[in-house]
Amino acid sequence: MKRQKVLFTFLFILLQVAVFAQSRVIKGTVKDSQTNETLPGVTVVVYGSVVATSTNEKGEYSITVEGEGKKLVFSSVGYVFQTIPADKDVIDVVFEANTKLLKEVVVTALGVSKEKKSLGYSVSEVSGDDVRKSGESNIIEALAAKAPGVEVVGSGGTPGASTKITLRGPTDFSGTNQPIIVIDGVIMDNSTNTPTPGDAAFNMNLQGVNESNRALDINPDDIESVSILKGPAAAALYGSSAANGAIV
C-alpha cells in the first residue's frame, strides 16, 4: 500500500513536469525595418488557436504557447504579416512595409494624385476595361452598378436616349442634381442639346423627341479610368458647379 502511494506520487510529479515543459512564455519586440522604431499594437497570434495578444507602447509582447511545433503569426495594418516558428523563448521581429498598399493612389480634383487612404472623402475607381465590357455606347449608362452610391437612370430604351446620373441621391429640388464630368481637366456639359421642359437629361413625361446627353460623345474605348468624387468636399477645387460631385 505504501509502495502504491509512493508510485502514485512519483507519477503525479512526472505528469506535472511534462505539462510544465509543454507550456512556455515567449517574449520579444517588434520593430520597423526602415526606422528601427518599435511598433505598438501589433497583433500576435498562436497559429491555429485563439491565443492572441498585442504589443504594448514599447513594442513588446508576451504570449503563452502550449505544446510543441507551434507558430506565431505577427500582423499589423500597412505591414507584411509574418509567420515564425515558436521555437525560442525570445523572438524579435522586424516588420517590412507593405508597399503595394501604400502605393495605392487615386486621381482627385485637377488631376492631383493622392494616396487613397489619406483622403477624407469617398472616391470610387472604375477601370476603362469595366466601361468597355459593359457594352454601352453611353458612358453614363456604363457606370451603372459599378460603384456604390451611383444612381443611373435612362429616359428610354432607344439608342441615344438621354441618361441621368446622381451621386448619393438628389440634393436640390430645382436643380439637375447631376455631377460634373471632367475629361483630362476640362469640364464638360452633360446636358441635352435642347433642354426643353421634361427633357433635361431625363425625359420624365416621354413627350416629344428625346435628345441625347453630351456624355454620349465620349468614346468608351478612349477611357483609361474613371474616378467618381462624391460630395462637395471631394470636388471643391472645381467650384460650386461640382456641388453634386464630379466624374473625372
Side-chain angles (χ1 to χ4, degrees):
M1 187 68 180
K2 191 174 182 180
R3 291 182 57 186
Q4 290 180 349
K5 290 183 179 180
V6 173
L7 181 61
F8 178 78
T9 303
F10 180 72
L11 291 176
F12 179 77
I13 294 175
L14 288 179
L15 181 62
Q16 291 293 103
V17 171
V19 172
F20 180 77
Q22 292 179 356
S23 177
R24 66 185 190 280
V25 177
I26 298 179
K27 300 180 180 180
T29 305
V30 181
K31 294 184 178 181
D32 186 292
S33 62
Q34 296 182 349
T35 63
N36 200 35
E37 295 180 353
T38 57
L39 296 175
V42 176
T43 302
V44 185
V45 181
V46 178
Y47 184 79
S49 71
V50 296
V51 180
T53 186
S54 60
T55 55
N56 57 20
E57 65 277 1
K58 297 181 180 180
E60 301 173 344
Y61 73 93
S62 177
I63 191 170
T64 302
V65 178
E66 301 283 348
E68 300 294 334
K70 298 294 183 179
K71 297 180 179 180
L72 297 181
V73 180
F74 297 81
S75 61
S76 182
V77 177
Y79 293 90
V80 180
F81 77 92
Q82 297 188 33
T83 302
I84 300 177
D87 54 1
K88 300 178 181 178
D89 293 336
V90 178
I91 299 178
D92 295 328
V93 180
V94 179
F95 257 10
E96 297 285 344
N98 192 340
T99 56
K100 292 183 179 180
L101 292 177
L102 295 178
K103 292 182 178 180
E104 184 180 3
V105 296
V106 294
V107 178
T108 62
L110 302 183
V112 179
S113 297
K114 289 188 177 182
E115 189 177 329
K116 189 172 184 179
K117 62 189 296 185
S118 68
L119 298 178
Y121 48 80
S122 176
V123 178
S124 298
E125 288 285 305
V126 180
S127 66
D129 290 337
D130 291 336
V131 173
R132 289 186 289 272
K133 290 177 182 178
S134 67
E136 299 288 350
S137 58
N138 192 326
I139 67 164
I140 298 300
E141 294 184 2
L143 295 177
K146 295 295 190 300
V150 177
E151 181 182 3
V152 177
V153 180
S155 60
T158 58
S162 62
T163 302
K164 178 181 179 181
I165 182 171
T166 56
L167 304 180
R168 293 178 173 174
T171 58
D172 189 356
F173 285 107
S174 58
T176 64
N177 290 304
Q178 292 197 87
I180 62 172
I181 296 179
V182 184
I183 304 175
D184 293 335
V186 180
I187 298 178
M188 186 197 75
D189 184 7
N190 188 43
S191 63
T192 57
N193 281 337
T194 309
T196 56
D199 191 37
F202 184 49
N203 193 350
M204 186 177 300
N205 299 319
L206 298 179
Q207 297 176 351
V209 178
N210 182 238
E211 301 286 345
S212 300
N213 59 300
R214 298 290 23 101
L216 185 68
D217 298 333
I218 305 174
N219 183 5
D221 294 332
D222 294 337
I223 298 177
E224 180 181 356
S225 64
V226 179
S227 296
I228 303 174
L229 313 182
K230 304 172 185 177
L237 293 178
Y238 290 119
S240 60
S241 60
N244 297 313
I247 299 177
V248 184

